[in-house]
Amino acid sequence: MSVRKLAAGNWKMNGDLAALEQLDAMVEAAEDASCAVLICPPAVLIHPMVARVAAGDLHVGGQDCHAAASGAHTGDIAAAQLRDAGATHVILGHSERRADHGETDATVRAKAEAALAAGLTAIVCLGETEAERDAGRTLDVIAGQLDGSLPAGATAANTVIAYEPVWAIGTGRTPTDDQIAEVHALLRTRLSERLPDGASVSLLYGGSVKPSNAAQIFAIAHVNGALVGGASLKAEDFVPIIRALDAAQG
Ligand code: PGA
C-alpha cells in the first residue's frame, strides 16, 4: 500500500515577513518533487505565506489550535480560523507545547478532533524524554501517547503521526537507525490494528533532521517523511531535505 511522503517544516517562533523570501526555492523544489511539502510558520505568517505560494505546491499549516470551535479563549486560535487563513495542516502535541503549556494526551486528542472537524490534517507528535529512554520505557511511552492522542475519526487522509524523541529536538543528536526503526514499526503495527487504513498513515521522524542525515533517515522502514525544525528555516537546508525525500524509495 502506498503511503504519502511529507516533508514538513516547523518554523516554531522564528521568521518574519522578510523570511518569506525563503519560500521561492522551496516552492520550486516542491513542484519538482513527488512528495508533499509543508511549512508551519508562526500563525501571523500563515496568511501572507499562503498568498505568496498561491500558485505553488507548497502547503501551509499551523503549529497549534484550540479544541473549541470559537469563544472566550484569549490568545488562542480555532482550527476553523487556521483553515480560513489558508492552512491545510496543523501540528498538535509538539513536545514544546506539551512541556511549555502542560498539554496532555487528552488535550492533544481534543485539539486533533477539532482540527479534523475543521477539515485540517492533524500532525500528532509523540516522543520520549531521555530519562524515559534510559529507563527502557520508550515503546511503552510511545504506545501510550499514540493511544491517548489519536483523534476519533482518524484516517490516513486526515492524520499524520510524527515521532520526535524529545532529546533529539534542536540538539544535533539523532537516534540510531535501529532506534527509529523500532518506534516506527511499533507505530505502524498499532495504527494498523486500530484503523482500517492504518497501514497508509504517514509516519514522520523529527529531531535534528538536516541535509547530511536526511537520506539515511528516509531509508529506514516506515519513515515516510520528516518534521524539520531548524533546517526548515532556510531554503539552502530545506530544499536538499525535500530532494532526499523525493529520491527515497517507498
Ligand atoms: P529540530 O526540531 O529539527 O530543530 O530538531 C524538530 C521539531 O521540533 O519539530
Side-chain angles (χ1 to χ4, degrees), residues 58-249:
L58 189 138
H59 301 282
V60 180
Q63 299 175 8
D64 177 48
C65 69
H66 199 278
S70 64
H73 302 289
T74 301
D76 280 311
I77 300 175
Q81 293 172 319
L82 294 177
R83 191 84 190 91
D84 186 50
T88 53
H89 296 64
V90 59
I91 298 169
L92 294 167
H94 189 282
S95 63
E96 286 152 16
R97 292 213 54 93
R98 290 179 187 257
D100 296 354
H101 300 272
E103 293 191 3
T104 64
D105 291 335
T107 322
V108 176
R109 185 197 340 224
K111 290 180 172 201
E113 288 172 357
L116 302 194
L120 295 171
T121 295
I123 301 177
V124 176
C125 302
L126 320 166
E128 83 284 3
T129 63
E130 186 156 35
E132 289 165 339
R133 177 163 284 279
D134 289 348
R137 296 188 48 231
T138 297
L139 296 184
D140 282 350
V141 167
I142 298 300
Q145 289 180 342
L146 180 68
D147 291 352
S149 308
L150 194 68
T155 68
N158 64 22
T159 302
V160 172
I161 305 294
Y163 167 52
E164 299 205 301
V166 177
W167 51 273
I169 294 176
T171 59
R173 296 168 59 200
T174 47
T176 64
D177 292 0
D178 286 350
Q179 287 172 330
I180 296 175
E182 183 182 38
V183 172
H184 279 243
L186 170 87
L187 292 171
R188 179 63 73 218
T189 301
R190 231 168 160 89
L191 286 164
S192 300
E193 286 164 3
R194 287 200 49 180
L195 307 179
D197 62 356
S200 304
V201 172
S202 300
L203 303 180
L204 311 184
Y205 167 77
S208 297
V209 176
K210 45 193 179 233
S212 58
N213 62 17
Q216 184 177 341
I217 289 170
F218 296 146
I220 299 170
H222 303 299
V223 174
N224 312 118
L227 182 53
V228 184
S232 71
L233 294 171
K234 295 257 180 295
E236 67 188 60
D237 295 323
F238 198 49
V239 165
I241 293 172
I242 295 169
R243 296 217 172 103
L245 181 59
D246 185 42
Q249 305 289 326

